[in-house]
Amino acid sequence: MRKEIFEPKIVCFACKWCTSAGADLAGTLRFKYKPNGIIIKIMCSSRVDPQHVLWAFKQKADGILIGGCHPGDCHYQNGNLKTMRRVMLLKKLLNDFGVEPERLHLEWISASEGKKFVKTMDNFIEKIRKLGPLK
Amino acid sequence: MKRIGVFICHCGVNIAGTVNVKEVSEELSKYKGVVLSTDYVYMCSDPGQKLIIDSIKNHKLEGIVIGCCSPNLHESTFRNAVKKGGLNPYLCEIANIREQCSWVHVEKDVATTKAIKIVKSMVEKALRNKPLQPIKVPITKRALVIGGGISGIQATLDIANGGYEVILVEKSPSIGGHMIQLSETFPTLDCSQCILTPKMVEVSRHPNIKLMTYSEVQEISGFVGNFKVKILKKARYVREDKCTLCGECTKVCPIVVPNEFDLGLTGRRAIYIPFPQAIPPSYTIDPEACPGFFPIACGKCADVCEANAIDFDMKPEIVEEEVGAIVVATGYDLYSKEKIAEYGSGKYPDVIDGLQFERLLSASGPTMGKILRPSDHKEPKEVVFIQCAGSRDPELHNAYCSKICCMYTAKHAMLYKHRVPDGRAYIFYIDVRSAGKGYEEFVQRAVEEDGVVYLRGKVSKIFQENGKIKVWGVDTLTGKDVEIDADMVVLAMAIKPSKGAQELAKKLKIAIDRDGFFSEVHPKLRPVESPTAGVFLAGAAQAPKDIPEAVAQASGAASKVLALFSSEQLYHDPIIAEVNEEICSGCKLCISVCPYDARVYDKEKNIVTVNEILCEGCGACVSACPSGATQQHNFTDEQICSMINAILS
Ligand code: FES
């Protein structure tokens, strides 16, 4: 009997200025990647509220990818650093909730890094596939 | 519930080729709130826009979602259409099903399913969008130009002549940039100094221009129309207003260091003027070369200065300025000879770069325009010019073409032949790129009238032997190896962004490309704008350029600044934070995360308010707010959570 492949559901928060633009570039260059992740475009990665992350896991997201500008490049000076701190905190919190912290991932992807967006997305999807569905 | 209209664009086959647009629109027609769901071949076309406008009226739509290309392309098109239809433009949302869906997936069912989810998530957002009005912000009608080369000078003059004040900041002691170092310019052989110095003088005399040389931009904050800049004015230790340029000081100064203006071909004193026509006309003490003045170690210059212009107590100053627009014109540097091992890593004195050769050619240069080689001051009879030194070499050096070297090398060889008629000039080249008005004719003139020998091929090695510089190359047209015993070699080194460009990009929050040049918003359609509104680009800071192109771009940037200044008011995106006064407990967490000082504590009410003009709308305070009292317009927690639901359903 063929085992059904697990297709993880991924929510991707991407800031308008860098990561979402990087994803646009990946499209313009016609790079191909796995379709499991859908982007919610926000102005800055610092808009990601811990409650959004917890909510998404509650709604059975298998993984959450947050993309922001590289340190120093955030359109709003240092929003991305706030995100970084928040993500570190959240990972601890997730452990307490019984969610593997690896299901939350933060990556810096600039507007010119279409390739990096594709790689990050594909690798993350594979990682979550290995972890299996959220329990 | 709001009445939502959904419009799915085929974008020819760009979307419809991979996404089943009919299925998307059908699926969406069943979604909550959606009262109209349709598709069209090109939504951005006139009939496409008309479809939206008419539907708003016919179906009494209260929210619009368009499934199409990236909002970076057509968001404003559609928002304008929606406005024409009588709806507030902020009620219109773009679902990006091209760049983030149809173009990145292959299988149609997979792409279609994803597209449906993307559009649904935007419907969720649209259901909760509020009509917004752009926020009016005042505009400071003063400009800052960074970099005092030809591009910066041109932009400064254009803006100043347009009637606005300009601050021109240059890091070295004089304006003029690289152009002032050049001898004659292609293809007309105009004397570079003769055409530039009048502009430099105009800058120094113009009532609208505040010139700050020997200064560097330290910090930039704010946004279009309202930038705050901190400029470091380094201490010159010579009072510009008193210095009479008598030059007595240099005669007594005991210190000699390499002269950067002549690229090390000559020396200069610790107290110096870069070149006679420097603007501002003043000497400068190089604090690194001077033996020191705390306490004064030498002081000879001060003893002989009759004008009492020397001021050892001068301190660096930080000057704060407010400007509405910024032009970045920081120019270029040459790729260093040391980086090319095959060409001697810069250790042979008679292997020089193009700018050094310009100084040799220049009538005001170290040899008064005579061609004398650096090592022994003899006239070289065999000179080899090598193009693309460090350019067009993706493996070892820079992948790009430096653009100006073909032309200036032709000029170098031609001018060399004018000065040394019995000498021989060889040029090694990969291609000769001479696109430009009068350029091809100029190259032909070098070959036909001046007998310059063009050899197609690369030089593999340069080394010194018996007082000659051996140049080993290959002529790919004849297939033969070429060996030349040269007296001097001139390398057309690659053009690099100037030192400090990267740091400046960080301060301005603008992007640089992989070669380090500043990125424009759109390579074809918006070539003088940086991605940050109000910051414009000019000259070789953006890409290698010759003088006419640099001047054209500078004037382009200046006209953008003038256009900006011609409006009475600017409008600011209203996607800002808002606080619910009933819920806010005045905990002030938001104040600590706001980078713009836009959150202000109101003692009387014990709440923290939002300054609408200062708020840039990042949303950091919203996610920091523990009670949910702060929300971001049209990015509320409720909206984001319902979008998550749509994606995961
Ligand atoms: S804008 Fe990209 S992380 Fe802040």
Side-chain angles (χ1 to χ4, degrees), chain A residues 14-19 42-47 67-70 73-81 83 108-109, chain B residues 618:
Chain A
C15 78
K16 163 179 170 157
W17 304 97
C18 283
T19 307
I42 45 188
M43 299 306 273
C44 172
S45 66
S46 64
R47 177 66 187 95
C69 316
H70 284 265
D73 288 351
C74 170
H75 191 76
Y76 307 97
Q77 297 179 15
N78 54 8
N80 46 3
L81 302 183
T83 313
W108 310 135
I109 303 171
Chain B
C618 60

Side-chain angles (χ1 to χ4, degrees), chain A residues 9 24 46-47 52 55 82, chain B residues 70 96 593 623 635 637 645:
Chain A
K9 287 183 184 169
D24 279 359
S46 64
R47 177 66 187 95
H52 303 150
W55 177 260
K82 290 167 200 152
Chain B
S70 164
N96 183 346
V593 297
S623 33
F635 277 98
D637 289 331
N645 291 352

Side-chain angles (χ1 to χ4, degrees), chain A residues 9-13 16-17 19-21 23-53 55-62 71-79 82 86 112 118 121, chain B residues 14 70-72 75 96 98-106 110 113-114 117-118 121 125 220-222 506 509-510 512 531-532 573 575 592-596 616-625 628 631-632 635-637 640-645 647-649:
Chain A
K9 287 183 184 169
I10 311 284
V11 177
C12 172
F13 293 100
K16 163 179 170 157
W17 304 97
T19 307
S20 183
D24 279 359
L25 180 67
T28 308
L29 297 170
R30 309 297 198 279
F31 292 155
K32 302 288 179 255
Y33 56 90
K34 300 192 180 84
N36 308 49
I38 291 181
I39 291 180
I40 295 183
K41 190 188 76 174
I42 45 188
M43 299 306 273
C44 172
S45 66
S46 64
R47 177 66 187 95
V48 179
D49 191 315
Q51 63 158 304
H52 303 150
V53 172
W55 177 260
F57 281 127
K58 214 170 135 203
Q59 303 306 309
K60 291 277 172 266
D62 298 302
D73 288 351
C74 170
H75 191 76
Y76 307 97
Q77 297 179 15
N78 54 8
K82 290 167 200 152
R86 232 169 252 161
S112 58
V118 170
M121 185 56 104
Chain B
N14 281 307
S70 164
N72 285 346
E75 187 178 72
N96 183 346
R98 193 178 76 174
E99 281 82 349
Q100 297 182 0
C101 187
S102 72
W103 275 354
V104 290
H105 305 308
V106 189
V110 167
T113 313
K114 181 172 165 183
K117 286 189 177 176
I118 294 174
S121 75
K125 183 168 191 288
I220 298 162
S221 58
K506 285 221 167 111
K509 288 182 231 44
I510 61 179
I512 45 177
T532 300
D573 212 17
I575 309 292
S592 66
V593 297
C594 178
Y596 304 104
E616 284 279 288
C618 60
C621 62
V622 188
S623 33
C625 180
Q631 287 298 331
Q632 187 175 15
F635 277 98
T636 61
D637 289 331
I640 294 178
C641 288
S642 57
M643 289 171 84
I644 295 173
N645 291 352
I647 289 174
L648 295 173
S649 64

Side-chain angles (χ1 to χ4, degrees), chain B residues 35-150:
Chain B
V35 294
L36 167 76
S37 181
T38 183
D39 60 280
Y40 188 71
V41 57
Y42 285 112
M43 283 309 302
C44 62
S45 67
D46 229 56
Q49 293 183 49
K50 195 159 175 295
L51 178 66
I52 300 173
I53 297 169
D54 294 343
S55 306
I56 291 173
K57 293 192 184 108
N58 298 341
H59 296 267
K60 301 201 180 58
L61 299 179
E62 294 162 309
I64 307 286
V65 174
I66 299 158
C68 58
C69 56
S70 164
N72 285 346
L73 296 165
H74 275 305
E75 187 178 72
S76 56
T77 313
F78 292 126
R79 286 197 165 164
N80 278 331
V82 163
K83 198 171 161 192
K84 262 197 205 149
L87 263 194
N88 182 286
Y90 293 91
L91 300 176
C92 167
E93 292 290 349
I94 306 294
N96 183 346
I97 57 168
R98 193 178 76 174
E99 281 82 349
Q100 297 182 0
C101 187
S102 72
W103 275 354
V104 290
H105 305 308
V106 189
E107 289 161 52
K108 205 157 184 174
D109 51 337
V110 167
T112 307
T113 313
K114 181 172 165 183
I116 291 170
K117 286 189 177 176
I118 294 174
V119 182
K120 280 183 181 169
S121 75
M122 292 321 280
V123 170
E124 289 291 347
K125 183 168 191 288
L127 278 169
R128 294 163 180 86
N129 271 348
K130 294 225 169 70
L132 301 173
Q133 295 307 329
I135 293 154
K136 285 186 193 151
V137 276
I139 160 167
T140 310
K141 298 188 178 183
R142 285 175 95 207
L144 167 72
V145 176
I146 308 173
I150 179 59

Side-chain angles (χ1 to χ4, degrees), chain B residues 16 42 98 110 144 160 262 276-277 279 307 322 333 338 397-398 457 466 508 526 593:
Chain B
Y42 285 112
R98 193 178 76 174
V110 167
L144 167 72
D262 286 333
Q277 307 94 322
I279 298 285
E322 289 184 10
D333 279 327
E338 271 97 76
H397 304 289
N398 303 294
N466 305 330
L508 285 162
R526 294 172 73 186
V593 297

